[in-house]
Amino acid sequence: MQPSHATLRGHTDRHGPERADGRPALGQLGAVRSTITVDERFGEACLQGLEGFSHVEVLFLFDQLPERDDYREPRPYRGRSDLPPVGVFADRGPRRPNRIGVTCCAVESVQGRELTVVGLDAVSGTPVVDLKPVMVEFQAVDVKQPAWVGPLMAEYFKP
């Protein structure tokens, strides 16, 4: 795996906008525009055809936060004591064993080796590992999740 096959420019605050109490807000990333420039070794046509898709999955590395020391004990989601503890693989946060993140983003434009997306929750400089077009046939149907997730994540990708 070569995580440096693309560079990312866009969102610069790894914590997101702040709330009135000064703590980081969860969300408001739906309008964030990011440009991913694929390494020249893939050629100018590496993104050809991607403009026909409305969305792309961006796989990236959480490289700007330290890894957790211990993954054995479940922790409250996002460190919030009002939410139930979850194991490391029931959490989408950045402190993961392999530190891989994935976000489904809207494709705004494709020009040569540059891909502009909307809604990527990774910060500028984050190594992009791979890009995959989103296809209806690969999407899950009848997704089930705990009741607390909906209200928590409702504002995450809002503009």
Side-chain angles (χ1 to χ4, degrees), residues 71-133:
Y71 293 104
R72 292 175 287 188
E73 292 298 318
R75 294 182 179 201
Y77 196 80
R78 296 205 175 263
R80 290 181 42 175
S81 60
D82 61 324
L83 296 176
V86 295
V88 66
F89 296 113
D91 185 338
R92 290 190 58 98
R95 293 190 171 116
R96 317 186 57 72
N98 291 311
R99 301 172 72 185
I100 297 171
V102 61
T103 303
C104 180
C105 305
V107 173
E108 184 172 89
S109 68
V110 178
Q111 295 182 343
R113 295 183 295 112
E114 284 196 354
L115 168 65
T116 301
V117 297
V118 178
L120 180 57
D121 59 341
V123 297
S124 286
T126 296
V128 175
V129 177
D130 204 355
L131 303 166
K132 292 182 175 247

Side-chain angles (χ1 to χ4, degrees), residues 7-117:
T7 55
L8 173 65
R9 293 187 322 273
H11 182 60
T12 57
D13 183 356
R14 73 176 179 199
H15 299 294
E18 286 188 352
R19 297 186 293 221
D21 64 5
R23 292 178 29 212
L26 178 62
Q28 301 169 348
L29 297 171
V32 172
R33 281 178 175 64
S34 303
T35 300
I36 299 165
T37 305
V38 179
D39 190 276
E40 61 188 23
R41 71 186 174 100
F42 292 98
E44 289 299 314
C46 63
L47 298 174
Q48 183 175 328
L50 197 55
E51 71 281 352
F53 291 89
S54 64
H55 290 77
V56 63
E57 290 178 318
V58 179
L59 285 81
F60 54 92
L61 293 180
F62 289 113
D63 69 328
Q64 298 184 25
L65 292 172
E67 191 172 331
R68 282 186 2 198
D69 293 330
D70 186 358
Y71 293 104
R72 292 175 287 188
E73 292 298 318
R75 294 182 179 201
Y77 196 80
R78 296 205 175 263
R80 290 181 42 175
S81 60
D82 61 324
L83 296 176
V86 295
V88 66
F89 296 113
D91 185 338
R92 290 190 58 98
R95 293 190 171 116
R96 317 186 57 72
N98 291 311
R99 301 172 72 185
I100 297 171
V102 61
T103 303
C104 180
C105 305
V107 173
E108 184 172 89
S109 68
V110 178
Q111 295 182 343
R113 295 183 295 112
E114 284 196 354
L115 168 65
T116 301
V117 297

